[in-house]
């Protein structure tokens, strides 16, 4: 009877020691993991931060009516007396579009999306129309288009 | 049955040894090129100057290109050889996973090298990669900023990965698997002579200026299949989910049971053949 009680106490003690040893051995690892998790947020936030930037593209217009113009990622499409600025980035995956003056369409050389001259999607894997960009009129036939990078 | 009986021990022995020799040449030529390469400003002009103005620039560029391509092709063949002979059963799941990750990192190194050309193909590849990463739910934007930043510093992060992060990481992952880092003299000699002849006699492919108008822009050869898929599937599925599932299946090979393993083995083989056909279709016929 007494021997049995001693064994139970020994077992309890062993379990206690196991738990203590486990805690002691793993406390350092757990604290390190928590520390790494806490530190990883500012590290990731630092590494993945991007300052929002605008790019200004300036078009100098002549008095004569002009065809569709392209400059630094922007198409300038004449509509009557005014103009519409369209981003030349395909809305599928960002390749620069080519303008086809025969079919009057913008075509993507990467995956074949097509847009009409108003920027509306016609065919291909792109799902959205082209982005219409804001235009500021300056003096002497200067148009400033703001492009968000 | 032919595949099951595939037992070409000589080729199995050659792939990794030739691969190590080409890796050595790739690292040396890359280190030499880095003295003149600048990832900021007009990168295309910089690459053209290295190729046409700097003495022996064309030779070192071609040597780096050919040795890098050869290394990744030989590593892929080495992995395919192990796969066809079901050698993944002899690897533990951890070691097999590390080797597959190292092969994926080799392809990433090749891809960042493709971007760093700075021509129209490289520029578009960078943008497509960035936009595919952005389609990941919740963390897409952060994830893409981790690899590529739009604007003037587009080439900077791929440069960091290509030159600083990826080579030591690949070495570290391959270290447990590689018996000797220095290849046998005969393999080194054969590889050096072959690559030198290539670098001397073969001109670099024509680089397309970033502002040139071309009807069709192609990605690197190993992503042509994905470029084809991107026409039909949403970017997240074609660019990440489908390739990710295939890689996951490859990871599971050593731990799968006999029946599931057999099923996985033949499924992966089928997908690889399909991918090769898609790549060939995209290469020959385009969109």
């Amino acid at each position: 009877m007494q021997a049995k009680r001693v064994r139970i106490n020994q077992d309890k003690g062993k379990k206690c020691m196991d738990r203590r040893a486990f805690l002691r051995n793993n406390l350092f690892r757990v604290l390190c993991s928590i520390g790494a998790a806490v530190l990883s947020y500012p590290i990731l936030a630092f590494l993945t931060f991007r300052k929002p930037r605008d790019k200004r593209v300036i078009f100098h217009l002549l008095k004569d009516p002009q065809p569709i113009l392209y400059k630094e990622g922007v198409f300038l499409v004449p509509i009557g007396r005014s103009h519409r600025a369209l981003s030349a980035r395909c809305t599928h995956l960002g390749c620069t579009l080519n303008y086809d003056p025969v079919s009057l369409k913008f075509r993507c050389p990467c995956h074949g999306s097509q847009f009409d001259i108003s920027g509306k999607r016609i065919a291909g894997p792109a799902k959205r129309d082209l982005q219409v960009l804001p235009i500021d009129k300056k003096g002497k036939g200067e148009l400033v288009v703001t492009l968000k990078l | 049955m032919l595949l099951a009986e595939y037992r070409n021990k000589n080729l199995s022995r050659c792939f990794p040894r030739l691969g190590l020799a080409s890796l050595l040449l790739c690292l040396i030529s890359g280190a030499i090129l880095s003295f003149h390469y600048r990832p900021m400003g007009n990168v295309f002009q910089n690459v053209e100057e290295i190729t046409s103005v700097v003495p022996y620039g064309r030779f070192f560029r071609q040597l780096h290109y050919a040795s890098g391509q050869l290394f990744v092709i030989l590593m892929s063949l080495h992995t395919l050889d192990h796969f066809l002979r079901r050698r993944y059963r002899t690897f533990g799941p951890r070691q097999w996973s590390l080797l597959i990750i190292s092969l994926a990192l080799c392809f990433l190194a090749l891809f960042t090298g493709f971007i760093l050309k700075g021509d129209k193909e490289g520029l578009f590849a960078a943008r497509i990669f960035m936009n595919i990463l952005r389609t990941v739910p919740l963390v897409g934007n952060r994830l893409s900023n981790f690899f590529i930043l739009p604007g003037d510093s587009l080439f900077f992060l791929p440069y960091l990965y290509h030159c600083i992060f990826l080579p030591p990481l690949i070495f570290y992952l391959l270290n447990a698997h590689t018996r000797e880092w220095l290849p046998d003299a005969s393999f080194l000699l054969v590889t050096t002579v072959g690559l030198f002849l290539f670098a001397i006699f073969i001109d670099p492919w024509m680089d397309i200026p970033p502002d040139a108008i071309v009807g069709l822009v192609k990605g690197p050869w190993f992503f042509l299949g994905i470029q084809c898929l991107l026409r039909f599937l949403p970017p997240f599925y074609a660019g990440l989910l489908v390739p990710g599932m295939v890689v996951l299946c490859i990871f599971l090979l050593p731990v799968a049971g006999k029946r599931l393993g057999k099923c996985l083995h033949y499924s992966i083989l089928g997908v690889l053949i399909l991918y090769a056909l898609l790549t060939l279709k995209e290469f020959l016929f385009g969109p």
Side-chain angles (χ1 to χ4, degrees):
Chain A
M1 191 68 179
Q2 203 172 350
K4 196 179 175 186
R5 203 175 293 151
V6 168
R7 205 184 316 136
I8 288 168
N9 284 341
Q10 274 179 348
D11 283 353
K12 270 186 183 173
K14 200 178 174 187
K15 269 186 188 169
C16 256
M17 281 307 288
D18 281 354
R19 208 174 294 145
R20 272 186 208 151
F22 176 79
L23 272 175
R24 200 172 45 241
N25 289 342
N26 288 291
L27 189 64
F28 182 67
R29 285 182 193 168
V30 171
L31 284 177
C32 280
S33 307
I34 293 171
V38 171
L39 258 181
S40 65
Y41 181 76
I43 292 171
L44 283 176
F46 177 85
L47 292 177
T48 58
F49 173 76
R50 185 170 68 90
K51 198 175 160 189
R53 279 184 195 166
D54 288 345
K55 182 177 159 186
R56 287 150 59 89
V57 181
I58 301 169
F59 287 91
H60 298 279
L61 298 179
L62 301 170
K63 282 180 184 172
D64 304 329
Q66 294 194 340
I68 291 177
L69 297 174
Y70 172 78
K71 196 175 177 186
E72 296 171 35
V74 177
F75 283 116
L76 195 67
V77 184
I79 306 171
R81 285 189 160 191
S82 65
H83 289 87
R84 173 181 284 186
L86 296 171
S87 166
R89 291 269 173 97
C90 178
T91 54
H92 179 223
L93 287 170
C95 294
T96 307
L97 300 165
N98 295 332
Y99 173 61
D100 179 5
V102 180
S103 62
L104 303 178
K105 283 176 192 166
F106 298 111
R107 289 175 195 272
C108 174
C110 293
H111 306 106
S113 295
Q114 292 178 26
F115 304 84
D116 68 12
I117 50 167
S118 67
K120 202 176 169 196
R121 176 202 167 266
I122 303 170
K127 299 281 178 240
R128 287 176 286 125
D129 299 338
L130 292 183
Q131 191 189 356
V132 180
L133 303 168
I135 302 178
D136 281 337
K137 282 187 181 173
K138 303 274 173 179
K140 295 178 184 174
E142 244 183 36
L143 294 181
V144 181
V145 180
T146 310
L147 186 66
K148 278 201 180 338
L149 287 176
Chain B
M1 285 308 284
L2 261 176
L3 287 174
E5 286 169 16
Y6 176 75
R7 289 283 185 278
N8 201 336
K9 289 268 167 66
N10 284 334
L11 271 179
S12 301
R13 205 174 154 266
C14 286
F15 290 148
R17 283 162 179 79
L18 289 172
L20 274 184
S22 43
L23 176 65
L24 190 70
L25 289 171
C26 183
L27 287 173
I28 294 169
S29 54
I32 292 169
L33 284 173
S34 68
F35 277 74
H36 280 282
Y37 186 84
R38 304 284 176 271
M40 309 297 274
N42 192 339
V43 175
F44 176 75
Q45 195 185 341
N46 176 234
V47 172
E48 291 307 302
E49 277 173 8
I50 290 174
T51 315
S52 52
V53 178
V54 180
Y56 304 104
R58 194 192 71 95
F59 170 78
F60 285 117
R61 188 184 164 195
Q62 278 299 77
L63 185 64
H64 188 62
Y65 164 79
S67 54
Q69 297 281 340
L70 186 65
F71 170 64
V72 177
I73 290 169
L74 287 168
M75 286 305 103
S76 307
L77 289 174
H78 180 50
T79 313
L80 186 68
D81 174 45
H82 277 287
F83 170 76
L84 291 176
R85 291 195 286 142
R86 291 186 169 80
R87 289 280 308 275
Y88 46 80
R89 285 175 185 164
T90 58
F91 291 105
R94 186 173 174 272
Q95 198 189 353
W96 176 250
S97 306
L98 289 180
L99 291 174
I100 296 300
I101 290 171
S102 63
L103 183 66
L105 291 179
C106 288
F107 275 105
L108 186 61
L110 211 56
F111 180 61
T112 46
F114 183 84
I115 290 173
L116 292 179
K117 290 189 300 168
D119 67 344
K120 199 174 185 96
E121 288 176 342
L123 187 74
F124 282 11
R127 279 195 208 154
I128 290 170
F129 183 52
M130 184 174 74
N131 284 317
I132 287 176
L133 289 177
R134 281 181 179 172
T135 59
V136 177
L138 300 173
V139 293
N141 273 334
R142 292 239 173 216
L143 191 66
S144 83
N145 289 349
F146 203 71
F147 288 99
I148 289 178
L149 292 172
D152 299 338
S153 49
L154 186 84
F155 298 101
F156 181 65
L157 286 183
Y159 175 76
L160 276 190
Y161 280 96
H162 189 77
C163 301
I164 294 172
F165 298 145
L166 289 177
L169 195 57
I170 291 168
F171 266 100
Y172 174 73
L173 291 175
L174 286 179
N175 197 31
H177 178 70
T178 310
R179 284 186 206 124
E180 283 176 14
W181 276 109
L182 265 183
D184 299 350
S186 54
F187 284 102
L188 189 59
L189 185 72
V190 169
T191 315
T192 308
V193 170
L195 288 173
F196 270 48
L197 287 176
F198 180 92
I200 291 166
F201 292 111
I202 308 288
D203 283 327
W205 317 134
M206 184 88 100
D207 295 322
I208 310 164
D211 48 359
I213 296 171
V214 286
L216 175 65
V217 176
K218 283 181 183 169
W221 60 268
F222 46 91
F223 281 160
L224 284 179
I226 290 180
Q227 186 171 2
C228 186
L229 282 180
L230 280 167
R231 291 186 218 287
F232 311 108
L233 291 174
F236 178 67
Y237 290 92
L240 294 171
L241 199 66
V242 175
M245 295 284 274
V246 178
V247 174
L248 185 70
C249 289
I250 297 173
F251 277 139
L252 290 176
L253 277 172
V255 287
K258 205 172 179 184
R259 246 175 128 179
L260 182 66
K262 198 174 177 185
C263 180
L264 274 179
H265 182 93
Y266 284 106
S267 306
I268 291 165
L269 195 61
V271 169
L272 289 179
I273 292 170
L274 191 69
Y275 191 79
L277 290 175
L278 272 180
T279 303
L280 202 65
K281 182 240 163 208
E282 191 69 17
F283 180 75
L284 293 175
F285 306 111

